[in-house]
């Protein structure tokens, strides 16, 4: 057996992959009766709903580690869905035609959570729009009906219950969800560079986040 590479800096291995959400999002109830939709809008020529068209994109399966910014990691999570890069190339460009320079991508969940990523980071080949986990349809605990999976980035970028994607030129179209301060949201959030937050030094942030872990876990939504 080959040895597994070490975890990224200052992460520890969690025993289980649990439902996780900061503060108020942990308690939010997800409306499972909503008809699935994936609205694409922002600085684009046409706003479109991608939901029905995803089936045209080839499916992709991957196994990746998942790293939460509060320092826990889960190894070997098996996701399946569609590569964001394929969806961008095969659906978003032809159907919506985003403006040149619309490189700030805002991802919104049906619980009101949202997060932004740079287009260049979403086009990595390990970024998925996932609708399956460990060979089963994605459950509501981990983000049904569809979630983002961006393994090179801290988990808070991997928006669950994804219902809308926006392409923007101007950062002012985005705010990290109330009441959380924008400085805890790093513009990139790359795990390899320990980009946990803007402004706050990691040495200060890590103990605060570790303290919050037991308060952010929700074993099951029901
Ligand atoms: N819609 C939504 N997406 C979200 C969150 C959330 O609260 N709501 N929490 C984020 C955080 S901080 C993490 S670590 C992961 C947790 O994913 P999990 O619940 O599948 O473990 O989801 C991220 N995506
Ligand atoms: Mo997280």
């Amino acid at each position: 057996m080959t040895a597994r590479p070490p975890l990224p800096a200052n992460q520890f291995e969690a025993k289980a992959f649990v439902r996780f959400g900061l503060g108020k999002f942990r308690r939010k109830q997800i409306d499972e009766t909503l008809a699935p939709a994936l609205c694409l809008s922002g600085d684009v020529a046409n706003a479109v709903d991608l939901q029905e068209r995803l089936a045209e994109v080839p499916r992709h399966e991957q196994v990746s580690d998942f790293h939460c910014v509060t320092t826990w990691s889960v190894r070997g999570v098996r996701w399946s869905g569609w590569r964001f890069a394929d969806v961008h190339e095969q659906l978003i460009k032809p159907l919506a035609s985003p403006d040149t320079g619309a490189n700030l991508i805002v991802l919104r969940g049906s619980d009101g959570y949202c997060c932004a990523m740079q287009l260049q980071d979403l086009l990595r080949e390990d970024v998925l729009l996932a609708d399956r986990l460990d060979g089963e349809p994605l459950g509501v605990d981990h983000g049904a009906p569809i979630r983002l999976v961006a393994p090179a980035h801290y988990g808070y970028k991997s928006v669950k219950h994804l219902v809308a994607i926006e392409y923007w030129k101007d950062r002012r179209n985005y705010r990290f969800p109330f009441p959380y301060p924008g400085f805890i949201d790093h513009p990139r959030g790359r795990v390899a560079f320990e980009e946990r937050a803007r402004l706050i030094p990691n040495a200060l942030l890590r103990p605060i986040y570790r303290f919050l872990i037991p308060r952010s876990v929700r074993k099951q939504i029901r």
Side-chain angles (χ1 to χ4, degrees):
M1 224 173 82
T2 47
R4 290 189 300 180
L7 283 174
N10 301 305
Q11 293 293 115
F12 71 90
E13 185 164 349
K15 290 186 187 66
F17 189 26
V18 295
R19 178 172 175 82
F20 194 89
L22 286 180
K24 72 171 190 187
F25 292 104
R26 176 191 46 140
R27 294 184 298 270
K28 277 271 172 75
Q29 203 55 43
I30 303 300
D31 185 352
E32 293 174 69
T33 62
L34 283 179
L38 190 54
C39 300
L40 197 290
S41 67
D43 292 323
V44 296
N46 314 295
V48 284
D49 184 351
L50 300 176
Q51 187 67 40
E52 298 296 312
R53 308 292 299 260
L54 283 171
E56 297 165 26
V57 177
R59 291 194 62 92
H60 179 73
E61 189 178 287
Q62 82 182 23
V63 175
S64 47
D65 296 350
F66 188 91
H67 311 291
C68 174
V69 72
T70 62
T71 73
W72 58 264
S73 292
V74 192
R75 301 271 205 173
V77 188
R78 186 156 58 98
W79 302 104
S80 117
W82 304 270
R83 280 191 167 126
F84 188 92
D86 292 342
V87 174
H88 172 78
E89 212 47 54
Q90 295 174 34
L91 298 180
I92 297 175
K93 283 212 315 212
L95 296 174
S97 88
D99 293 357
T100 315
N103 295 332
L104 177 80
I105 316 303
V106 179
L107 305 140
R108 295 190 190 277
S110 63
D111 57 352
Y113 181 80
C114 67
C115 209
M117 287 185 70
Q118 296 186 2
L119 181 59
Q120 57 167 333
D121 288 338
L122 284 170
L123 296 180
R124 285 176 58 106
E125 65 169 27
D126 58 357
V127 177
L128 294 193
L129 295 175
D131 67 342
R132 297 181 71 82
L133 167 61
D134 288 331
E136 306 278 340
L138 186 64
V140 71
D141 286 334
H142 289 294
I146 246 180
R147 79 174 299 165
L148 189 82
V149 176
H153 299 259
Y154 286 114
Y156 67 93
K157 298 289 183 187
S158 289
V159 174
K160 296 180 280 192
H161 321 295
L162 190 63
V163 288
I165 305 177
E166 298 161 9
Y167 280 52
W168 294 111
K169 288 188 276 207
D170 190 333
R171 270 206 87 82
R172 280 174 296 188
N173 289 302
Y174 165 66
R175 199 200 169 284
F176 197 56
F178 182 83
Y180 303 101
F183 59 75
I184 65 168
D185 175 27
H186 191 283
R188 298 191 77 175
R190 290 171 298 177
V191 178
F193 299 93
E194 219 183 329
E195 293 170 336
R196 290 182 199 267
R198 275 189 289 145
L199 304 178
I200 320 173
N202 285 325
L204 178 66
L205 196 59
R206 285 190 303 256
I208 300 173
Y209 273 162
R210 284 191 186 124
F211 170 80
L212 291 174
I213 294 174
R215 289 154 188 83
S216 307
V217 169
R218 180 163 170 189
K219 283 226 174 59
Q220 258 171 0
I221 201 150
R222 279 175 292 255

